[in-house]
Amino acid sequence: MHLFDKCRAFTRHNEVKAEGLYPYFLPVSGSTDTEVVINGKKKIMIGSNNYLGLTHHPHVVESAKRATDRYGSGCTGSRFLNGNLDLHLELEERLARFIGTEAALVFSTGYQTNLGVISTLVGRQDTVYLDKLNHACIVDGARLSFGTVQRFNHNDLDALEAMLRSQESGGAMVIVDGVFSMEGEIADVPRLVALREEFDFALALDDAHSIGVLGHTGAGTAEHFGLTHKVDLTIGTFSKSFASIGGFVAGPRTVIDYLQHHARSLIFSASMPPSAVATVLAAMDVMEAEPERRDRLWAITKRMIEGFHDMGFETGKTETPIVPVMIGPMEEAFLMWKELFERGIYTNAVLPPAVPEGSCRLRTSYIATHTDDQLDYVLEQFAEVGKKLALV
């Protein structure tokens, strides 16, 4: 058997393309915060994680340009050696204050952050506990560690408690998504904190979809519950509310210092480019100066969830601007995606293994700068397509 045999046997994507239903890797030729241009046609974007609508904010864009003029296009090296800018340090100090921790550390991507944090901290005698619906980067970080990996059913904290009681030795980490990216559901942080106090494990929250959205200042899930100082590590990405790319971990100074000198995904990877760092700093300026963006985002979220429910669509247990429209069979999800796409609406068709079998969905997500007219049109088209396909 040749190594590439599995590649030659993989034909499903071409079959879906031949049917005109392939929804992935579509080339965007232009964009605003709430619209994209694909094949010369505008689409209302309801599949983005640009929650606060900052990708085209004048202050954000201008800050990126100024940083490029001053520092050039990239750092051409790791932070450990020659790629450590004063901008990186400024951002880390500001993130620590924002999250409410002693220190923070910036990585090149959110994915690399989880790879580095989990694989570095969880050693051979340790155990890491994962929710089965955690993001793939958490799973991969656990796989890279030398510790034992235990997975519990989604939000089944009774099962987690039983696992913790049976652990015989070593340290433990429990890490979950603060907001689950395909469900829009918020983690039960109060119960996790109670378990932490009983079993003395390290509690980490991946707040990729929480930062900028949850909490009275947008500092994430722990702030949302008033439990900032009960969560050991907050992990985040800059590719959502911060309108950039990169990632960070915030926590105790001793842990951050250890990660800085041991995390392979930090030490052996080129650092965030200056324009990306400046973008995050500028996004934080806007988040602080314009809290009304979060208010608008939550008003939109409430409206869309209620609108889908009124039509008869199921949206699961979402509590956030991530609003999954449950379809079920893969073929029907593809058909609905195509109908909406042709009507000028960009959604995300989500299939296994990203979600459990039989739970295919259109993942919609909303931006603070969506207009009422755009939202009206989206709801009208969902209603029409849902009836046409006999889904509602």
Side-chain angles (χ1 to χ4, degrees), residues 49 51 114 135 177-179 181 205-213 235-241:
N49 299 314
Y51 298 118
N114 271 321
H135 191 272
D177 287 4
V179 170
S181 61
L205 296 180
D206 182 343
D207 262 359
H209 296 274
S210 311
I211 301 292
V213 177
I235 295 166
T237 179
F238 301 135
S239 59
K240 277 72 175 176
S241 293

Side-chain angles (χ1 to χ4, degrees), residues 49-347:
N49 299 314
N50 182 24
Y51 298 118
L52 298 180
L54 299 183
T55 55
H56 291 73
H57 191 287
H59 175 57
V60 173
V61 174
E62 184 57 36
S63 296
K65 292 177 180 178
R66 286 200 305 269
T68 301
D69 288 340
R70 178 177 177 181
Y71 297 93
S73 61
C75 297
T76 66
S78 74
R79 295 193 60 197
F80 195 73
L81 295 176
N82 65 293
N84 193 43
L85 303 179
D86 54 358
L87 280 181
H88 293 119
L89 303 181
E90 178 185 350
L91 178 55
E92 287 169 345
E93 291 173 3
R94 192 162 176 184
L95 283 167
R97 291 196 303 271
F98 178 58
I99 300 298
T101 58
E102 291 180 345
L105 183 62
V106 169
F107 288 70
S108 300
T109 70
Y111 196 101
Q112 286 178 294
T113 307
N114 271 321
L115 294 189
V117 170
I118 301 169
S119 65
T120 302
L121 295 179
V122 179
R124 293 183 187 278
Q125 306 302 317
D126 304 324
T127 304
V128 57
Y129 298 91
L130 313 179
D131 188 296
K132 284 190 176 180
L133 295 189
N134 276 350
H135 191 272
C137 62
I138 297 176
V139 176
D140 290 353
R143 285 174 174 171
L144 283 175
S145 77
F146 290 104
T148 300
V149 181
Q150 296 268 27
R151 300 178 72 194
F152 54 92
N153 287 333
H154 177 51
N155 272 346
D156 187 350
L157 300 189
D158 290 336
L160 171 61
E161 181 175 356
M163 291 176 182
L164 290 165
R165 288 192 186 282
S166 67
Q167 182 177 335
E168 296 180 354
S169 62
M173 170 187 283
V174 175
I175 179 168
V176 300
D177 287 4
V179 170
F180 290 89
S181 61
M182 296 299 158
E183 289 73 30
E185 195 175 355
I186 302 174
D188 186 354
V189 176
R191 176 79 188 281
L192 288 167
V193 165
L195 290 172
R196 169 186 176 270
E197 293 178 350
E198 180 175 356
F199 294 100
D200 194 29
F201 56 77
L203 176 58
L205 296 180
D206 182 343
D207 262 359
H209 296 274
S210 311
I211 301 292
V213 177
L214 293 182
H216 71 276
T217 69
T221 315
E223 184 185 57
H224 172 73
F225 287 107
L227 293 169
T228 296
H229 300 295
K230 300 291 186 178
V231 172
D232 297 291
L233 298 174
T234 296
I235 295 166
T237 179
F238 301 135
S239 59
K240 277 72 175 176
S241 293
F242 289 116
S244 185
I245 190 168
F248 73 94
V249 56
R253 168 65 65 184
T254 54
V255 177
I256 298 303
D257 286 348
Y258 184 84
L259 289 169
Q260 188 174 27
H261 293 88
H262 292 83
R264 294 168 67 86
S265 63
L266 176 85
I267 295 171
F268 297 104
S269 184
S271 56
M272 279 178 69
S275 59
V277 183
T279 293
V280 179
L281 287 165
M284 295 185 77
D285 292 341
V286 180
M287 289 168 63
E288 293 170 0
E290 301 179 20
E292 62 272 14
R293 286 177 178 260
R294 279 192 304 282
D295 296 336
R296 170 64 178 168
L297 180 61
W298 283 108
I300 290 172
T301 299
K302 181 175 185 291
R303 176 183 178 184
M304 299 309 287
I305 292 174
E306 291 177 351
F308 288 129
H309 287 177
D310 289 345
M311 292 177 213
F313 283 110
E314 173 59 48
T315 62
K317 297 181 179 180
T318 184
E319 308 166 74
T320 65
I322 299 169
V323 184
V325 178
M326 302 299 189
I327 306 298
M330 183 184 304
E331 292 76 11
E332 292 183 359
F334 279 150
L335 285 170
M336 185 152 188
W337 170 83
K338 182 181 181 181
E339 283 278 351
L340 290 167
F341 186 78
E342 290 178 345
R343 294 165 184 242
I345 298 172
Y346 191 113
T347 64

